[in-house]
Amino acid sequence: MSKNVSLVGMELADLREFLGPDQPRYRAQQLFDALYRKHVANFSEISNLPQPLLHQLVTISTLTRPATEKRFDSTDGTRRYLLRLEDNRTVEAVLMPEENRNTICISSQIGCPVDCKFCLTALMGLERNLTAGEIVGQVLYVARENNIHPHNSHLNVVMMGMGEPLLNLDNVLKATRILTDDKALGIPQRRLTVSTSGIVPKIEELGRADIRPKLAISLNASHEEQRRELMPITRKYHLSDLIEACRAYPLRHWEALMFEYVLLKDVNDTDADARRVVRLLAKLNCKVNLIALNPGPGIPFDTPTPERVDSFQKIIMKSMPCYVRKPRGRDIFAACGQLKRVNETSSPA
């Protein structure tokens, strides 16, 4: 066995290899069950492993999970967690409870390298990728803190927090396999979503994975020049190439692509923009999710009026499903595009 290894983030095969040939194969399954189904936070909570093995595990491994640096509670019930990792860096996760379901928004990187001009996270730059264990650990921690049992509740997990998930795809896919494993958290693949700014080669790689989240694409513009200004990543991965990758993406029979569109006042929110979006997405099996800008310090854009959002939506809806995402946790900097480890809440609007 190796020393000081975190068991959280290991798949069943990893645990079998870690325990070695001297342990019966079912020991790995017992440990796997304890980690992900029973949500144990320390070795003393594991009752079905022999004491010599437990002592050995305590000596050479950890059940490392994030710890709360600070928690922020919104007036709408949303909770934003500023979580401290083992190396003392911090990352954010958000719980959005609803009457019949819960949604946990998690991060895949500390910071983000993509530099979208309307996003607070982009102002951080990239510090590092998260491990599979740190990705899964966010779900385990928030679920345990809020008494949520993923395998027998309606839980959605969205990788829309800090970071560009497709630039950390290996760890994202490993975390996905653990989150969806029936003997682990058992979250259906249709209840996991990953959001990308449009990393074309990684979209193709994601599509080849047997177990993968649903795909959401952050569009935010109706033509190439506009998207380059808002999302500099477009200089490398052109809009036409992104749409072609979406056309080629192997959707499952129950699946549709989701395009997210952040509406910026007097920038990309005109009726003409809406009509261009319709033409751009024509013949794709998709839906559109509109997000009126969630403001934050240092963001040089304004939020459009509800009337402008409504007009934009009505044009899209004539051709494809289109929804307006209700802002959650805006008062605690927990809404889409606001995660920047802000150690405070905002003033009432």
Side-chain angles (χ1 to χ4, degrees):
M1 295 185 182
S2 303
K3 291 186 177 181
N4 300 320
V5 173
S6 176
L7 301 182
V8 178
M10 286 192 182
E11 297 178 81
L12 182 57
D14 299 327
L15 289 172
R16 284 176 177 154
E17 182 179 354
F18 178 73
L19 293 178
D22 294 337
Q23 292 293 334
R25 288 174 64 84
Y26 65 83
R27 293 295 184 210
Q29 182 62 66
Q30 290 175 315
L31 188 53
F32 190 76
D33 182 73
L35 289 173
Y36 303 121
R37 197 134 180 118
K38 296 178 180 175
H39 297 195
V40 301
N42 54 69
F43 288 109
S44 65
E45 296 178 33
I46 304 177
S47 59
N48 59 350
L49 293 181
Q51 285 301 313
L53 176 57
L54 275 176
H55 177 75
Q56 189 177 20
L57 290 173
V58 169
T59 304
I60 64 171
S61 63
T62 68
L63 301 180
T64 302
R65 294 194 187 182
T68 298
E69 175 79 5
K70 199 163 185 179
R71 192 185 90 186
F72 303 88
D73 293 304
S74 171
T75 55
D76 65 19
T78 300
R79 287 180 174 174
R80 174 168 68 94
Y81 290 89
L82 183 61
L83 300 174
R84 183 163 296 282
L85 305 175
E86 193 173 23
D87 64 356
N88 285 323
R89 295 177 187 267
T90 54
V91 73
E92 291 188 301
V94 177
L95 171 67
M96 292 166 281
E98 296 180 62
E99 185 175 352
N100 297 315
R101 65 178 183 180
N102 291 287
T103 299
I104 301 176
C105 177
I106 60 175
S107 299
S108 55
Q109 298 177 307
I110 303 175
C112 184
V114 177
D115 196 28
C116 298
K117 300 304 180 184
F118 48 84
C119 179
L120 270 177
T121 312
L123 300 178
M124 294 175 58
L126 177 67
E127 294 185 17
R128 69 168 173 86
N129 285 334
L130 295 181
T131 66
E134 289 169 334
I135 295 170
V136 172
Q138 294 170 71
V139 179
L140 293 173
Y141 184 85
V142 174
R144 181 174 168 122
E145 285 290 299
N146 294 276
N147 199 29
I148 297 169
H149 302 282
H151 51 277
N152 57 17
S153 67
H154 292 292
L155 175 65
N156 297 320
V157 175
V158 294
M159 297 186 196
M160 298 180 181
M162 287 181 174
E164 165 53 68
L166 297 198
L167 291 179
N168 188 19
L169 186 56
D170 287 347
N171 284 317
V172 163
L173 287 176
K174 185 171 187 178
T176 297
R177 292 193 297 271
I178 294 170
L179 292 170
T180 59
D181 192 315
D182 286 339
K183 295 182 179 179
L185 283 85
I187 302 171
Q189 292 179 56
R190 66 178 66 219
R191 289 190 172 274
L192 266 69
T193 304
V194 63
S195 178
T196 179
S197 61
I199 314 298
V200 171
K202 293 297 183 178
I203 290 174
E204 297 167 355
E205 185 178 341
L206 176 68
R208 293 193 294 269
D210 293 331
I211 298 173
R212 64 181 188 269
K214 294 186 298 183
L215 178 61
I217 298 97
S218 190
L219 184 63
N220 308 315
S222 63
H223 58 84
E224 177 86 7
E225 183 180 356
Q226 186 183 69
R227 197 169 193 270
R228 284 191 182 195
E229 292 178 0
L230 296 174
M231 303 177 69
I233 193 73
T234 307
R235 296 169 192 162
K236 184 171 184 179
Y237 303 112
H238 297 174
L239 184 56
S240 58
D241 296 328
L242 173 60
I243 296 301
E244 186 56 40
C246 291
R247 288 198 183 100
Y249 192 76
L251 293 170
R252 292 156 287 195
H253 68 91
W254 45 264
E255 187 177 14
L257 292 170
M258 179 194 294
F259 286 90
E260 301 162 313
Y261 194 101
V262 177
L263 290 161
L264 310 172
K265 184 178 180 181
D266 300 329
V267 176
N268 66 350
D269 65 341
T270 68
D271 287 354
D273 283 305
R275 289 189 287 269
R276 281 192 292 267
V277 168
V278 168
R279 291 195 294 270
L280 192 64
L281 304 184
K283 299 181 181 179
L284 287 173
N285 179 7
C286 69
K287 56 186 176 182
V288 177
N289 207 341
L290 300 178
I291 306 162
L293 174 72
N294 294 304
I299 301 299
F301 300 103
D302 296 316
T303 305
T305 64
E307 293 76 17
R308 183 90 297 276
V309 175
D310 182 63
S311 177
F312 199 100
Q313 181 189 23
K314 286 178 178 176
I315 292 171
I316 303 283
M317 283 186 69
K318 292 177 183 177
S319 301
M320 61 196 69
C322 182
Y323 310 93
V324 176
R325 186 184 296 175
K326 179 183 177 182
R328 296 291 303 272
R330 186 182 278 179
D331 58 323
I332 57 167
F333 291 105
C336 180
Q338 288 190 316
L339 299 186
K340 186 181 173 279
R341 300 188 300 201
V342 179
N343 206 22
E344 59 206 35
T345 58
S346 63
S347 301

